[in-house]
Amino acid sequence: MGDGVTTDLLMIRQKEDHRLSTAVDPKTDGTMFRILTKAEGLMGEDVPLELLFHLPVNYPSCLPAISVHSEHLTRAQSMTVKEKLLKQAENLLSEPMVHELVLWIQHNLRHVLNQPETGSGREKCTFATGTTVDDGLWMTLLHLDHMRAKTKYVQTVEKWASDLQLTGRLMFMGKIILILLQGDRSNIKEYLILQKTSKVDVDSSGKKCKEKMISVLFETKVQTEHKRFLAFEVKEYSSLDELQKEFETAGLKKLFSEFVLGLVK
């Protein structure tokens, strides 16, 4: 873990009004912070905030990817808060900044919400793979090992997809569980952060736990032969042939052969 990340961890853990969880993304070797905190809203009320920071390997020389979630804010308000945090982060380049950004939004949320919305912000970080965290319509396929609390898990996935304006499929076929997502690449990255840092399932004893058995089968920019999904749907398939037809209809026959067939035992 880099010196900037270590410094952020130490400073955040010294604050009693933050709840922190971390994870390492094996695909990029970046570090993810998930911080639960509160800030003063427009009417002086406490607004719970969930702040997700994805720090690339060259942090803090590069801006982190940031996402903001709160049941007390609209999607547009959350995006505005995210943009203001990224703008503030530009002034802190080359310095550990997560702790400072959390303090800044705690003191400035009310002011930010009073300002007009400014459009969509763009993260400027480049990860170890050499790809950026934005750039148009992308698609990714995820494989889950199991779902113990299926009803709650499905509801959570549907909510995340809706909040992040992602379309696609949550697919069940026997013991195979796949999540196919389409949307803005930065929103897909935000989804992956949520998937890896939230307590979305339960363990064998019934205790809430994070998803540790997830793998990214493929990620690609949507091509002309690929179907554009108009919504996010949950679907059950009775046979492998039926699942294959779903992929073929979506223009993903080759990807099905390369990545999905190997899951069938």
Side-chain angles (χ1 to χ4, degrees), residues 11-13 15-20 35-38 99 102-103 106:
M11 294 178 72
I12 293 168
R13 282 173 173 156
K15 295 291 291 181
E16 294 181 357
D17 52 348
H18 303 334
R19 289 170 55 196
L20 166 73
I35 300 172
L36 303 180
T37 188
K38 293 181 180 179
H99 177 66
V102 173
L103 292 180
Q106 283 184 324

Side-chain angles (χ1 to χ4, degrees), residues 137-140 188 218-223 226 252 255:
L137 188 64
W138 279 72
M139 176 166 50
T140 191
I188 290 177
F218 69 80
E219 181 182 24
T220 183
K221 197 165 187 176
V222 173
Q223 306 298 320
H226 297 154
L252 299 172
L255 293 175

